[in-house]
């Protein structure tokens, strides 16, 4: 935990009685919030509670409907479009906003290029970028293109960019949602380094253990209301969760019902090879939840994409309920009862500029045809069902999905995937960006689906989730299966050992079997 | 705090739809009022049918272009494609007249060829963009040049003229009417209605929209992106072919000057109608209005002396830019008001 910020230090940025409405819909009600230099202040709350909206207001991206903002002892109206960065308030959005084809150095200096006259001082920018990256103790080549970096590295580039802007306040929206455990650890070290230099950090996270570890103070929002702002020393993860959802949370994970040993094998993969992966073999039984653990970039998504036909496999075989299959696009796998839910909900999962209904039914429009024409009624009913089943909270369902809170987008995507009524579901990071209350719901939904006889693969970087849900866990490392765990073996330490390469299970006959 | 999806959807939707359709329609009404006040002859039955008939060419092509653009593509080849199809039609019909005399079959043969050529040309554009993965702009820039130079070559630099006998038989397709509405207008109306249904009431239209707004999402949503894309170009080819079928009897000839700049007029009609050039959102009704607006401008300039007819292109240009500006402007204004 970082040094406790001195309570006597006056806040650098504070918000007084901030309210915000979109149209007629109020999302924030008279919120007070402040942040002191050298402090980590976490904002938590359920999906749609208004966290992202609050930080958008704190950084000028949205203007409050009423209320004032004080920055460095002056009441200010923050300039829109991220210009507040020049004042020292930098936001790192959950969807990293980096131009994929620029180099790391270009990205760090984007919009503030060093120039002599008309020309760019490329060498100097490169050197400065390298110096900043060095202070972060990360090994990223300033000349690498952004699209070659891992998500964690991209995040480091964003942080480097913030530092180069001489940020006094860094605001982060769910920074760790896309990081694996190891990456999160490095990330936390960076945060501590920054706070030691007096930078104020505001961050949103749904991971309560992280908040306990990192934050000095926690602000809890519920339905746009400020519930409390408290020092972490007075809190436990349970008490935070309770404040967030307004009720007691027990049994985050549903009880496991092991599938029958002789349950039908729904999906069987042998020696699968595809770009980035090789030698993948496993069986998935009816009623089974199979967890895929591993570091980010270990090839779990590549396995899923090769199975459903999003990428072409270069070797091996896939058998679906005894029939060899070879999918070349998703429509075939969906038709065969195999659905894949992507982890990239903004880039691959949802059409952000249209409403809930077209998104929900996009994959299964055929179901909503009557005599060849779309049947709006039937689509509407589907949406009503999904809203109920997955507890999707959209105050106005015709608003573009891009404006929903992250968690509700995730739930909508889950609804969309389940619309195809698959027998086998592959869920890639199913609870990314989802609050604990909803997580619990989703875990119970997953368990119920398995109990109904569906076969489920859960790919997750959240160790607890894999452990809490799976009947069997496969650990991947560098594009290969590193190990397989069952029953009582499924514990964090074991998974970590395989994921980090300390233990090798590649020759384990259970895997090649 | 959550609202059931059902209840809240209705009022919001209706309101927004109104605002969006209103823009181009209002512009058209304004233009009609302006035309009438400048010269009352503007609203004579003869002139109105004239405007409608002339809009038919661009309008039919623009309906096809609406699909291509909505799905995130672009087709620059439609103008030269029309010239090429017209040229080949005339050559084939002349040949048929030579071989077996002029009859209704000559014309039907020409029409059949036109349809095959249109669909074929559309398929080539679609195939090259989806399978060979070349940008639509480049593919259709290429085919645009190819068709244009082919028709020049066939005409030997001059004009291809349809045999007089065949022309007599074919003539009514452009000049005759049914219920006092010329045939080309009927074709336009039919194409527009089918286009509207296709866009708004079928899975195909929804897929076009999805692909245009995010191709990756479409791919991950079990949509056969390449197939749908190719289909939009084929549809575009078909529309060009239909437009050519009603165009050929008008002059009975084709030359290297046939269909010049039609691609830009078609795209302009689509954009004036409120479809987004970057894809993802298409409006057939708007496109029809867009085509009517473009033709009306030319017509009004013809009927009045205030602005030289030679400035037609300039006025159209101003209108296009203004229309798009107003659409954007009203959009952001509405957003501001909402906040
Ligand atoms: N531009 C907008 N227009 C309309 N409504 C909006 C807009 N932005 C946010 N909202 C609504 O405001 C509410 C709060 O959203 P916000 O994104 O702040 O939630 P959040 O607490 O960040 O949730 P999550 O944990 O899911 O990310 C949501 O109901 C959302 O739909
Ligand atoms: Mg959020």
């Amino acid at each position: 935990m970082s040094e406790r910020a001195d309570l006597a230090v006056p806040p650098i940025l504070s918000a007084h009685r901030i309210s915000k409405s979109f149209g007629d819909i109020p999302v924030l009600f008279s919120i007070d919030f402040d942040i002191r230099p050298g402090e980590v202040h976490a904002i938590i709350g359920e999906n749609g509670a208004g966290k992202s909206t609050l930080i958008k207001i704190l950084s000028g991206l949205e203007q409050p409907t009423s209320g004032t903002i004080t920055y460095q002892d002056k009441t200010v109206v923050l300039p829109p479009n991220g210009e507040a960065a020049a004042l020292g308030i930098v936001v790192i959005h959950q969807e990293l906003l980096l131009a994929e084809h620029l180099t790391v150095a270009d990205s760090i200096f984007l919009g503030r290029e060093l120039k002599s006259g008309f020309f760019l001082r490329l060498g100097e920018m490169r050197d400065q970028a390298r110096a900043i990256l060095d202070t972060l103790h990360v090994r990223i080549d300033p000349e690498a293109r952004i699209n070659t970096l891992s998500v964690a590295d991209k995040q480091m580039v964003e942080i480097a960019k913030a530092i180069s802007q001489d940020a006094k306040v860094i605001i982060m929206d769910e920074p760790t949602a896309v990081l694996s455990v190891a990456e999160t650890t490095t990330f936390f070290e960076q945060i501590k380094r920054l706070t030691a230099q007096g930078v104020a950090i505001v961050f949103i996270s749904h991971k309560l253990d992280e908040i306990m570890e990192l934050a000095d103070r926690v602000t809890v929002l519920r339905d746009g209301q400020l519930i409390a702002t408290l020092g972490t020393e007075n809190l436990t993860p349970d008490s935070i969760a309770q404040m967030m959802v307004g009720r007691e949370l027990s049994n985050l994970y549903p009880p496991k019902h092991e599938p029958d040993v002789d349950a039908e094998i729904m999906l069987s993969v042998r020696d699968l090879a595809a770009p980035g992966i090789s030698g993948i073999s496993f069986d998935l039984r009816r009623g089974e939840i199979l967890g895929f653990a591993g570091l980010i970039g270990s090839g779990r998504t590549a396995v899923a994409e090769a199975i459903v036909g999003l990428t072409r496999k270069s070797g091996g075989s896939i058998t679906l309920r005894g029939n060899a299959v070879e999918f070349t696009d998703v429509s075939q796998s969906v038709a065969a009862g195999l659905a894949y839910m992507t982890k990239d909900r903004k880039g691959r999962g949802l059409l952000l500029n249209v409403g809930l209904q077209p998104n929900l039914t996009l994959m299964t429009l055929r179901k909503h045809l009557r005599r060849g024409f779309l049947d709006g009624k039937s689509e509407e009913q589907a949406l009503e069902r999904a809203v109920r089943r997955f507890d999707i909270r959209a105050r106005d369902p015709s608003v573009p999905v891009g404006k929903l809170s992250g968690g509700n987008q995730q739930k909508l995507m889950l609804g969309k995937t389940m619309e195809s009524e698959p027998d086998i579901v592959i869920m890639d990071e199913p609870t990314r960006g989802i609050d604990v209350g909803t997580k619990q719901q989703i875990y119970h939904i997953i368990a119920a689906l398995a109990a109904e006889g569906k076969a489920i693969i859960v790919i997750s970087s959240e160790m607890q989730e894999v452990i809490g849900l799976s009947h069997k866990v496969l650990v991947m490392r560098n594009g290969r299966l590193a190990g397989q765990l069952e029953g009582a073996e499924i514990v964090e330490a074991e998974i970590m050992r395989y994921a980090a390469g300390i233990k090798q299970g590649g020759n384990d006959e259970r895997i090649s079997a | 705090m959550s609202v059931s999806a059902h209840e809240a959807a209705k009022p919001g939707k209706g309101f927004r739809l109104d605002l969006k359709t209103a823009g181009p329609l209002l512009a058209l009404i304004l233009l009609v009022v302006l035309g009438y006040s400048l010269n009352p002859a503007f609203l004579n039955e003869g002139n109105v049918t004239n405007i409608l008939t002339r809009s038919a060419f661009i309008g039919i092509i623009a309906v096809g272009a609406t699909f291509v653009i909505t799905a995130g593509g672009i087709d620059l080849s439609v103008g030269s494609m029309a010239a090429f199809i017209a040229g080949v039609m005339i050559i084939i019909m002349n040949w048929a007249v030579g071989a077996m005399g002029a009859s209704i079959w000559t014309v039907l043969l020409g029409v059949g060829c036109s349809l095959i050529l249109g669909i074929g040309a559309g398929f080539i554009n679609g195939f090259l963009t989806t399978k060979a993965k070349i940008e639509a702009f480049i593919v259709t820039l290429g085919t645009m040049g190819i068709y244009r130079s082919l028709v020049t070559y066939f005409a030997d630099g001059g004009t291809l003229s349809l045999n007089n006998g065949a022309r007599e038989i074919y003539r009514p397709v452009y000049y005759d009417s049914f219920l006092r509405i010329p045939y080309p207008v009927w074709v336009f109306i039919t194409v527009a209605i089918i286009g509207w249904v296709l866009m708004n009431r079928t899975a195909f239209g929804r897929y076009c929209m999805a692909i245009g707004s995010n191709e990756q999402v479409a791919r991950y949503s079990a949509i056969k992106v390449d197939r749908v894309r190719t289909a939009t170009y084929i549809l575009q080819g078909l529309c060009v072919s239909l437009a050519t079928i009603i165009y050929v009897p008008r002059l009975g000839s084709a030359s290297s000057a046939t269909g010049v700049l039609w691609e830009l007029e078609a795209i302009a009609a689509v954009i004036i109608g409120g479809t987004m050039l970057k894809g993802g959102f298409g409006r057939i009704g708007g496109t029809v209005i867009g085509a009517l607006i473009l033709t009306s401008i030319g017509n009004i300039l013809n009927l009045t002396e205030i602005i030289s007819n030679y400035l037609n292109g300039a006025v159209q240009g101003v209108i296009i830019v203004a229309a798009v500006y107003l659409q954007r402007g009203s959009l952001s204004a509405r957003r501001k008001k909402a906040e």
Side-chain angles (χ1 to χ4, degrees):
Chain A
M1 201 171 290
S2 62
E3 278 299 303
R4 288 278 168 227
D6 187 347
L7 288 181
V9 178
I12 175 164
L13 177 67
S14 53
H16 314 278
R17 310 186 59 84
I18 293 285
S19 296
K20 174 75 184 169
S21 307
F22 290 105
D24 304 331
I25 302 165
V27 293
L28 288 179
F29 303 88
S30 193
I31 305 289
D32 285 317
F33 182 88
D34 62 50
I35 171 80
R36 305 187 185 102
E39 178 193 45
V40 178
H41 192 155
I43 304 177
I44 62 166
E46 286 184 289
N47 298 127
K51 306 179 295 294
S52 298
T53 308
L54 177 59
I55 66 163
K56 281 180 195 154
I57 289 171
L58 289 175
S59 56
L61 292 174
E62 298 276 5
Q63 294 302 326
T65 315
S66 68
T68 54
I69 293 182
T70 312
Y71 180 56
Q72 293 180 321
D73 300 326
K74 282 190 285 288
T75 301
V76 290
V77 174
L78 293 171
N81 301 330
E83 290 152 34
L87 302 174
I89 305 175
V90 179
V91 195
I92 300 180
H93 291 278
Q94 188 184 342
E95 316 75 48
L96 303 169
L97 297 172
L98 292 170
E100 291 283 313
H101 295 285
L102 295 184
T103 67
V104 169
D106 292 344
S107 309
I108 291 178
F109 288 99
L110 189 64
R112 306 169 294 117
E113 288 79 4
L114 305 177
K115 288 183 233 175
S116 18
F118 190 64
F119 298 100
L120 294 175
R121 298 210 298 271
L122 289 175
E124 196 169 324
M125 286 198 281
R126 197 168 50 231
D127 294 343
Q128 285 197 19
R130 181 166 290 132
I132 297 166
L133 291 167
D134 281 348
T135 63
L136 286 172
H137 299 265
V138 286
R139 286 207 311 263
I140 301 173
D141 179 3
E143 295 190 66
R145 304 255 163 217
I146 295 294
N147 55 11
T148 64
L149 300 184
S150 70
V151 186
D153 284 348
K154 286 183 191 173
Q155 197 140 40
M156 287 304 160
V157 172
E158 288 268 26
I159 292 176
K161 187 171 172 180
I163 294 175
S164 75
Q165 285 168 304
D166 197 21
K168 299 194 173 57
V169 181
I170 300 183
I171 304 177
M172 294 185 270
D173 198 349
E174 303 194 36
T176 56
V178 289
L179 300 186
S180 64
V181 179
E183 288 162 336
T184 303
T185 315
T186 2
F187 175 74
F188 279 10
E189 283 164 16
Q190 306 303 343
I191 298 291
K192 284 168 192 161
R193 223 185 303 264
L194 289 171
T195 48
Q197 292 162 14
V199 178
I201 308 269
V202 178
F203 88 109
I204 297 180
S205 175
H206 287 291
K207 302 183 182 171
L208 302 182
D209 46 341
E210 280 177 7
I211 288 170
M212 292 306 294
E213 182 184 339
L214 197 62
D216 302 302
R217 284 193 298 160
V218 177
T219 288
V220 184
L221 297 182
R222 193 198 307 150
D223 284 335
Q225 312 268 5
L226 177 70
I227 300 300
T229 297
L230 295 164
T232 12
E233 61 278 3
N234 306 322
L235 292 169
T236 62
D238 283 343
S239 63
I240 303 180
Q242 203 172 324
M243 274 195 279
M244 266 172 67
V245 292
R247 64 188 152 91
E248 201 154 345
L249 270 184
S250 53
N251 306 333
L252 188 54
Y253 300 99
K256 291 186 192 178
H257 295 289
E258 295 287 333
D260 295 341
V261 273
D262 55 352
E264 182 188 4
I265 294 183
M266 302 290 283
L267 172 70
S268 171
V269 173
R270 288 291 170 275
D271 279 323
L272 180 68
I277 52 165
S278 61
I280 307 292
S281 301
F282 65 86
D283 286 333
L284 176 66
R285 291 179 182 279
R286 181 181 285 282
E288 184 174 45
I289 301 176
L290 176 63
F292 264 75
L295 302 182
I296 286 190
S298 58
R300 296 165 301 172
T301 298
V303 170
E305 297 199 340
I307 292 176
V308 297
L310 278 161
T311 53
R312 225 36 83 75
K313 69 180 165 70
S314 52
S317 65
I318 298 167
T319 318
L320 220 64
R321 307 177 83 168
N323 306 316
V325 290
E326 187 106 11
F327 300 130
T328 52
D329 70 52
V330 184
S331 59
Q332 296 167 357
S333 60
V334 168
L338 167 61
Y340 168 61
M341 184 173 88
T342 171
K343 63 180 171 186
D344 180 4
R345 60 173 176 249
K346 302 220 161 171
R348 309 208 148 95
L350 297 172
L351 296 173
L352 300 180
N353 54 356
V354 303
L356 278 75
Q357 186 173 304
N359 268 295
L360 182 76
T361 56
L362 192 58
M363 193 149 86
T364 45
L365 265 189
R366 294 243 166 82
K367 284 207 312 198
H368 304 287
L369 294 182
R370 227 182 40 204
R371 290 193 225 102
F373 297 108
L374 290 177
D375 180 0
K377 245 285 137 52
S378 132
E379 282 189 82
E380 243 166 59
Q381 286 164 355
L383 179 59
E384 269 171 55
R385 273 197 308 274
V387 163
R388 223 176 307 125
R389 180 170 176 199
F390 298 102
D391 189 27
I392 301 169
R393 297 186 199 176
R395 286 165 207 194
D396 169 11
S398 64
V399 19
V401 162
K403 290 189 174 161
L404 290 187
S405 74
N408 281 307
Q409 291 177 357
Q410 187 71 28
K411 290 193 265 184
L412 177 63
M413 198 164 72
L414 188 59
K416 172 183 170 183
T417 310
M418 296 316 297
E419 272 292 293
S420 70
E421 296 168 35
D423 297 319
I424 308 167
V425 199
I426 305 179
M427 300 181 180
D428 205 347
E429 309 284 1
T431 63
R432 169 178 289 178
I434 283 191
D435 67 62
V436 269
T438 313
K439 257 185 195 170
Q440 184 194 35
Q441 285 178 329
I442 288 188
Y443 295 150
H444 281 79
I445 291 170
I446 293 176
L449 289 172
E452 259 170 46
K454 308 225 183 273
I456 295 170
I457 294 179
V458 173
I459 300 175
S460 175
S461 302
E462 220 168 300
M463 199 81 80
Q464 287 313 321
E465 182 167 298
V466 174
I467 297 169
L469 278 177
S470 316
H471 300 124
K472 193 163 82 184
V473 174
L474 298 178
V475 188
M476 285 194 67
R477 181 180 151 71
N478 291 337
R480 303 182 139 269
L481 284 183
Q484 170 172 331
L485 303 166
E486 264 169 83
E489 303 166 320
I490 307 179
V491 291
E492 186 157 350
E494 269 308 271
I495 296 178
M496 268 324 287
R497 253 175 242 139
Y498 283 120
I502 299 164
K503 192 166 167 184
Q504 277 291 331
N507 301 328
D508 191 322
E509 56 194 47
R510 274 180 318 189
I511 287 171
S512 45
Chain B
M1 289 230 109
S2 70
V3 191
S4 118
H6 192 67
E7 305 154 36
K10 280 183 176 155
K13 237 185 210 164
F15 182 58
R16 202 163 312 159
L17 228 101
D18 266 345
L19 270 171
K20 271 183 184 163
T21 32
L25 193 60
L26 250 125
L28 181 62
I29 292 170
L30 231 86
L31 211 56
V32 170
V33 171
L34 183 77
Y36 181 75
S37 57
L38 288 175
N39 186 345
F42 179 75
L43 282 184
N44 284 354
E45 187 182 335
N47 194 49
V48 171
T49 28
N50 180 23
I51 292 178
L52 291 176
T53 317
R54 292 197 170 218
S55 338
F57 307 126
I58 294 303
I60 291 170
I61 294 175
V63 168
T66 312
F67 286 93
V68 172
I69 292 174
T70 302
I74 188 101
D75 191 343
L76 299 175
S77 69
V78 293
S80 8
M81 194 193 289
F84 171 72
I85 294 175
V88 175
M89 268 176 89
I90 290 172
I91 291 172
I92 287 185
M93 284 191 286
N94 285 349
W95 167 82
V97 171
M100 42 199 183
S103 72
I104 182 86
W105 295 107
T106 327
V107 174
L108 286 180
L109 177 70
V111 167
C113 281
S114 166
L115 292 173
I116 292 170
L117 284 172
I119 292 172
F123 176 77
I124 291 173
N125 281 340
F127 182 82
L128 288 175
T129 42
T130 56
K131 286 290 182 276
K133 306 245 175 281
I134 310 172
E135 288 87 344
F137 189 93
I138 295 169
V139 168
T140 59
L141 191 65
T143 49
M144 166 174 151
I146 293 170
Y147 296 138
R148 180 64 64 200
S149 83
L150 279 178
V151 73
T152 317
Y153 172 75
F154 291 151
D156 212 5
T159 303
L160 286 162
S161 297
L162 184 58
N163 170 289
N164 273 330
R167 197 185 292 188
E168 276 315 303
I169 300 169
Y170 200 170
R171 225 184 99 86
V173 170
Y174 180 80
Y175 290 99
D176 278 10
S177 314
F178 173 65
L179 298 177
R180 293 165 79 189
I181 297 177
Y183 286 125
V185 180
W186 282 114
V187 178
F188 185 22
I189 293 172
T190 315
V191 167
I193 291 176
I194 295 176
W196 188 89
V197 171
L198 216 52
M199 181 68 90
N200 297 295
R201 289 286 180 270
T202 68
F204 174 70
R206 186 73 64 80
Y207 291 163
C208 288
M209 179 205 83
I211 293 171
S213 49
N214 188 334
E215 187 176 336
Q216 285 294 349
V217 173
R219 209 161 70 91
Y220 277 70
S221 304
I223 295 171
K224 296 189 172 101
V225 174
D226 287 355
R227 212 181 276 183
V228 175
R229 272 245 163 91
T230 308
T232 62
Y233 288 99
I234 293 177
L235 205 61
Q236 172 75 87
L238 188 64
C239 288
V240 172
S241 142
L242 287 173
T244 313
I245 290 170
I246 52 172
Y247 177 76
V248 167
R250 179 173 166 220
L251 299 176
S253 67
S255 73
S256 61
T258 304
V260 168
L261 291 185
W262 280 10
E263 60 280 344
L264 293 188
E265 286 198 37
I267 294 170
V270 172
I271 300 307
I272 292 175
T275 296
M276 286 202 282
L277 188 57
K278 67 175 177 0
F281 180 73
R283 301 213 14 249
I284 299 289
T287 298
V288 170
I289 292 174
L292 292 174
I293 290 179
L294 284 181
T295 337
S296 306
I297 296 170
N299 184 267
I300 291 173
L301 296 187
N302 264 336
L303 290 179
T304 57
E305 303 293 318
I306 308 173
I307 304 178
S308 159
N309 200 17
Y310 294 129
L311 284 174
N312 187 1
V315 177
Q316 284 189 352
V318 170
I319 299 271
I320 293 167
V321 174
V324 173
Y325 176 77
L326 287 178
Q327 280 166 23
R328 306 271 153 86
S330 65
L331 262 175
S332 58
R334 218 178 315 139
R335 205 174 300 141
K336 251 177 230 140
K337 217 171 64 193
E339 278 170 17

